[in-house]
Amino acid sequence: MIFVSLALAAAVPPAFEVVDQAGSRVDMLGVRGLQWWEPREPSAPHCSEGAAPSWCVSASRTDDSGWTLTVSNAAASRTARVRLPGPERASFIVWSQLVRGADGSILAGVVRTDRGPFSGGGWQKDRLILVRVTAESEGIVLDLPLLGSAAIRACFDGRDRRRRRGACTDDYSFSTAFSLDTANASSTPALSVSTRAETYPGRRSRSVDSSRGRPLRRQDLSHWHDPVCSYERRYRFHPAAGRYLPDTPVPACADYLEFE
């Protein structure tokens, strides 16, 4: 399992470990002539390689400036279109992988990125939106935080810089890693999710005015690991809800994920 770190830059699609799980499998999606991390128009079809029949995934704008995810298989005469949530200014890139369930389902998705200025710094958050496609239906089944980052200005003059030993922003970072849950006995793919949340310098909170705190010491210039927002969950598909749900509730972690 590999954690994906985040800077205030373009999103990097996460990766599943490629393992068999109750007959489920993972296919890489690519655009002919390009590697998955290279720039390309999101509307360019991303197709599974070396697998028959081939599935293709694309994200495109609609006439009203929204976004739609299209998942298609020409050999099976199956095309599914799902409206994606998000404001007009959000950007989308196709998730680089596709999960084929032993139950015949397909999991495809996009990474949605939102960013903006914040308290003299900036923020970015990425969410993974997964769509489940079967022979009879399609729809969004999972929308979870993938990456979050904020840098908040904390120095306004030389005195502030001295008090903070040059650490002039409060930094918040949140990252997610996930894999197929190999302990799952169902033919429907299940997901294992792990998160890591940190602040710098030391323990920070957006509900506390850091300018009122004591001067920083040398030992404060380190990352603080947040034990509440660093967690592990198992997500399984619940037919009655029509969604993937965690085995226990997930904390909100607003310091890392809510900026508007």
Side-chain angles (χ1 to χ4, degrees):
M1 183 176 292
I2 301 174
F3 275 93
V4 182
S5 62
L6 174 69
L8 292 175
V12 177
F16 268 122
E17 295 178 1
V18 181
V19 294
D20 290 328
Q21 175 238 7
S24 300
R25 58 170 293 179
V26 178
D27 293 328
M28 293 298 297
L29 297 178
V31 175
R32 185 178 297 277
L34 293 177
Q35 298 296 319
W36 65 265
W37 62 83
E38 293 182 297
R40 84 286 297 278
E41 291 296 322
S43 58
H46 298 54
C47 300
S48 56
E49 301 174 351
S54 177
W55 287 88
C56 293
V57 183
S58 62
S60 57
R61 283 197 176 275
T62 59
D63 292 340
D64 60 355
S65 298
W67 286 82
T68 295
L69 183 71
T70 301
V71 184
S72 62
N73 185 315
S77 299
R78 179 72 169 104
T79 299
R81 293 183 176 87
V82 177
R83 176 86 175 204
L84 298 172
E88 182 178 345
R89 66 180 180 275
S91 61
F92 292 85
I93 57 174
V94 172
W95 185 41
S96 63
Q97 291 171 301
L98 178 142
V99 179
R100 300 168 182 260
D103 59 354
S105 65
I106 295 293
L107 283 179
V110 293
V111 177
R112 169 186 151 188
T113 298
D114 300 272
R115 58 170 62 89
F118 188 75
S119 299
W123 62 270
Q124 176 176 318
K125 60 180 179 181
D126 298 345
R127 300 189 69 86
L128 176 65
I129 301 172
L130 290 185
V131 168
R132 184 172 186 262
V133 178
T134 68
E136 301 81 22
S137 64
E138 65 276 340
I140 293 173
V141 293
L142 184 62
D143 183 347
L144 58 77
L146 178 62
L147 301 167
S149 179
I152 302 172
R153 184 172 63 169
C155 293
F156 297 89
D157 54 30
R159 178 177 178 273
D160 290 339
R161 286 190 288 273
R162 290 190 296 273
R163 284 173 55 85
R164 291 184 56 102
R165 293 180 173 267
C168 281
T169 59
D170 287 340
D171 298 332
Y172 298 80
S173 64
F174 179 97
S175 60
T176 300
F178 49 92
S179 64
L180 287 179
D181 182 0
T182 56
N184 178 53
S186 169
S187 61
T188 302
L191 314 178
S192 297
V193 173
S194 298
T195 69
R196 176 184 295 165
E198 295 179 333
T199 63
Y200 179 87
R203 185 172 185 173
R204 305 283 104 186
S205 171
R206 285 170 48 201
S207 64
V208 176
D209 184 355
S210 62
S211 68
R212 297 180 179 274
R214 57 168 173 73
L216 296 180
R217 301 165 297 181
R218 188 176 300 277
Q219 57 264 39
D220 294 325
L221 301 182
S222 61
H223 289 85
W224 176 73
H225 176 80
D226 187 330
V228 173
C229 291
S230 301
Y231 55 82
E232 295 186 358
R233 297 291 189 273
R234 301 293 180 268
Y235 283 77
R236 291 177 171 81
F237 184 71
H238 290 249
R243 297 186 68 85
Y244 275 84
L245 299 175
D247 49 5
T248 57
V250 172
C253 301
D255 274 359
Y256 308 92
L257 301 170
E258 300 298 331
F259 306 107
E260 296 180 291

